[in-house]
Amino acid sequence: MTETTGTSAPGETGPTVSRPRRSSWRYIGPGIVVAATGVGAGDLVATLIAGSSFGYTLLWAAVIGCLVKISLAEAAGRWHLSTGRTLFDGWASLGRWTTYFFVVYVVVWGFVYGAAAMSSSALPLQALFPHVMGLPWWGVACGLVGLVFVWFNKYAVFEKVMTVLVGVMFVVTVYLAIRVTPNLPEAFAGLLPVLPDEKDSVLNTLGLIGGVGGTITLAAYGYWVNAKGWTDTGWMKVMRLDNRVAYATTGIFVIAMLFVGAEMLHSSHVAIASGDKGLIQLGDILAAEYGTATAKFFLIGFFATSFTSLIGVWHGVSLMFADFVAHYRGGGEGAEEVAAGRHDRSWAFRGYLLWLTFPPIVLLFQGQPFRLVILYGVLGAAFLPFLALTLLRLLNSSRTPREWRNGPLSNAMLVIAGVLFLVLCVKQVWDQPWADFL
């Protein structure tokens, strides 16, 4: 979290320390990007279903989910600023196994995620313009627009566009939460940690906590911090404020959708499908209840939610891949190289952009291959335990200057995150149809 212990030990090195910046709102940026990227349509559906199934009972779980993610993103940002090294550089120092995991992850995960992101962005566009073209072609259009936008724009423009889209998401979700007239006494009661009296309530609760806002985007946060021009410990206070804003924003999105699920679906016993199509169903329900204008307004917010995740991953994970290639080739200057914009002009950055865009188009027309989807699910579930446990190791070792190592609270939060995501990972692996896979 935000506290550290100790003072710098003799001989320890880190980045050049500049005068500490005041934690001013005018610096906010990477946090908005990570919030926008981390909250996808799937997160909103999961929270909507939680509200429809349990009412306000699990509101506390959504809040805890935000706190857990704050600790992970803060740890990633603190590593970048305190050491002047990137997160991949830190992973590489732990052994080759981290490199093998990362490579397999970004190749398999990126291939399947590319199709999922394009399809998710296409759904609301097809609902808004049903007679223009089919869903796969809307998906292709979204992927190509994302590719062109990220290819030709630097971080500053990318951040501004993400901020505008977050504004759209914020207005839409808060409007819906107010429109359904939430029961505030019940909502406040939902802040008490109580489990629903139903089968698998513990795992459902852990799933909601773990599903609030992002997977690999949490690791990308440190790269966006550097891309903003923050490269040393003088920016530490600013980064921490930025990170809190990110997950306060995420919390508002999630809580607003839980309100909608509790009031519109739970009270009337309406069930919706899991996945992105559940939001299309919600649009139909809103049209019947509040009129076509409200439904279209919601679909615009749905598109903003999906498309920010698409371009956020296109930019952030491509930065990480470019950093991996730079280290593999024996080059790289850590945080300074990211800040100078050399990564997002590299062939590796643009090559991974192409990988996220063109091969997944095949999946839009032919369906997702069964075995690949299983590997995608397992690798996705394994990433957050990997992130939490490697950060725990990096920030408690001599790799980090003593002043910026973990204190008791930071360690507690990373241990909680590691255990939580490890349990969810085991469940995800257990639930896969391995007999069919083999």
Side-chain angles (χ1 to χ4, degrees):
M1 298 288 281
T2 61
E3 43 70 59
T4 54
T5 60
T7 58
S8 298
E12 288 178 339
T13 61
T16 302
V17 180
S18 64
R19 183 173 59 85
R21 271 74 170 180
R22 296 180 63 184
S23 51
S24 170
W25 290 90
R26 67 190 176 92
Y27 291 124
I28 298 302
I32 296 296
V33 172
V34 78
T37 307
V39 179
D43 298 294
L44 296 187
V45 173
T47 312
L48 194 66
I49 291 175
S52 68
S53 301
F54 308 117
Y56 294 102
T57 305
L58 292 180
L59 182 59
W60 64 272
V63 173
I64 288 179
C66 289
L67 295 176
V68 168
K69 299 296 178 63
I70 284 174
S71 67
L72 282 168
E74 188 274 342
R78 177 154 44 94
W79 166 263
H80 277 248
L81 294 182
S82 66
T83 65
R85 301 164 67 188
T86 62
L87 188 53
F88 184 82
D89 193 16
W91 286 338
S93 74
L94 297 176
R96 289 189 176 181
W97 68 274
T98 58
T99 301
Y100 299 147
F101 175 82
F102 179 78
V103 171
V104 174
Y105 178 85
V106 296
V107 171
V108 176
W109 181 89
F111 182 49
V112 181
Y113 180 83
M118 288 187 273
S119 178
S120 179
S121 298
L123 277 169
L125 291 177
Q126 188 189 40
L128 285 166
F129 309 104
H131 305 299
V132 175
M133 54 184 169
L135 182 66
W137 290 109
W138 275 119
V140 172
C142 290
L144 293 177
V145 170
L147 170 70
V148 171
F149 172 74
V150 174
W151 188 292
F152 290 105
N153 288 292
K154 299 304 178 186
Y155 174 80
V157 176
F158 167 72
E159 182 188 288
K160 286 181 173 63
V161 170
M162 292 289 273
T163 301
V164 170
L165 292 173
V166 165
V168 173
M169 293 166 59
F170 186 90
V171 170
V172 170
T173 54
V174 171
Y175 167 77
L176 289 178
I178 295 172
R179 189 70 190 267
V180 300
T181 316
N183 186 323
L184 293 181
E186 288 189 13
F188 282 116
L191 294 174
L192 296 175
V194 176
L195 291 175
D197 187 19
E198 295 190 23
K199 183 182 177 182
D200 294 331
S201 62
V202 173
L203 288 175
N204 287 331
T205 302
L206 292 178
L208 180 60
I209 293 173
V212 179
T215 51
I216 196 171
T217 54
L218 289 165
Y221 178 63
Y223 288 84
W224 285 322
V225 163
N226 291 156
K228 181 75 170 176
W230 306 348
T231 58
D232 56 50
T233 56
W235 292 99
M236 197 69 76
K237 287 185 178 180
V238 176
M239 181 275 292
R240 284 168 168 166
L241 174 64
D242 180 75
N243 181 46
R244 290 170 191 149
V245 169
Y247 282 95
T249 305
T250 299
I252 290 171
F253 293 149
V254 170
I255 290 170
M257 292 307 289
L258 192 140
F259 282 5
V260 172
E263 292 297 333
M264 287 199 67
L265 307 178
H266 181 69
S267 57
S268 55
H269 304 289
V270 175
I272 63 170
S274 60
D276 300 341
K277 291 184 179 179
L279 292 183
I280 297 295
Q281 286 181 265
L282 178 61
D284 296 336
I285 295 168
L286 288 169
E289 188 75 21
Y290 299 112
T292 304
T294 297
K296 289 186 180 297
F297 187 52
F298 165 72
L299 289 172
I300 292 170
F302 176 7
F303 172 74
T305 300
S306 298
F307 195 65
T308 51
S309 294
L310 186 152
I311 61 175
V313 166
W314 263 229
H315 188 274
V317 184
S318 296
L319 272 181
M320 296 180 69
F321 184 78
D323 186 45
F324 152 70
V325 172
H327 280 84
Y328 180 77
R329 298 177 67 185
E333 302 167 14
E336 293 291 345
E337 185 169 8
V338 179
R342 285 190 282 274
H343 276 338
D344 57 15
R345 292 194 298 269
S346 68
W347 68 265
F349 179 91
R350 291 177 171 176
Y352 193 73
L353 267 179
L354 295 173
W355 173 254
L356 283 168
T357 306
F358 287 105
I361 287 176
V362 176
L363 304 186
L364 294 176
F365 291 92
Q366 296 186 356
Q368 297 181 353
F370 176 71
R371 289 181 174 84
L372 197 60
V373 171
I374 291 180
L375 292 176
Y376 164 80
V378 170
L379 287 168
F383 186 81
L384 282 178
F386 168 80
L387 177 62
L389 297 174
T390 53
L391 283 172
L392 196 63
R393 173 65 179 144
L394 291 172
L395 294 168
N396 282 288
S397 71
S398 59
R399 297 173 181 87
T400 304
R402 186 178 299 277
E403 180 184 0
W404 302 108
R405 292 178 197 167
N406 279 359
L409 180 58
S410 297
N411 279 326
M413 292 301 293
L414 288 179
V415 167
I416 290 170
V419 171
L420 164 67
F421 294 122
L422 193 59
V423 170
L424 292 174
C425 177
V426 170
K427 180 181 184 298
Q428 180 82 352
V429 172
W430 182 265
D431 289 344
Q432 297 298 331
W434 293 108
D436 296 334
F437 180 88
L438 299 172

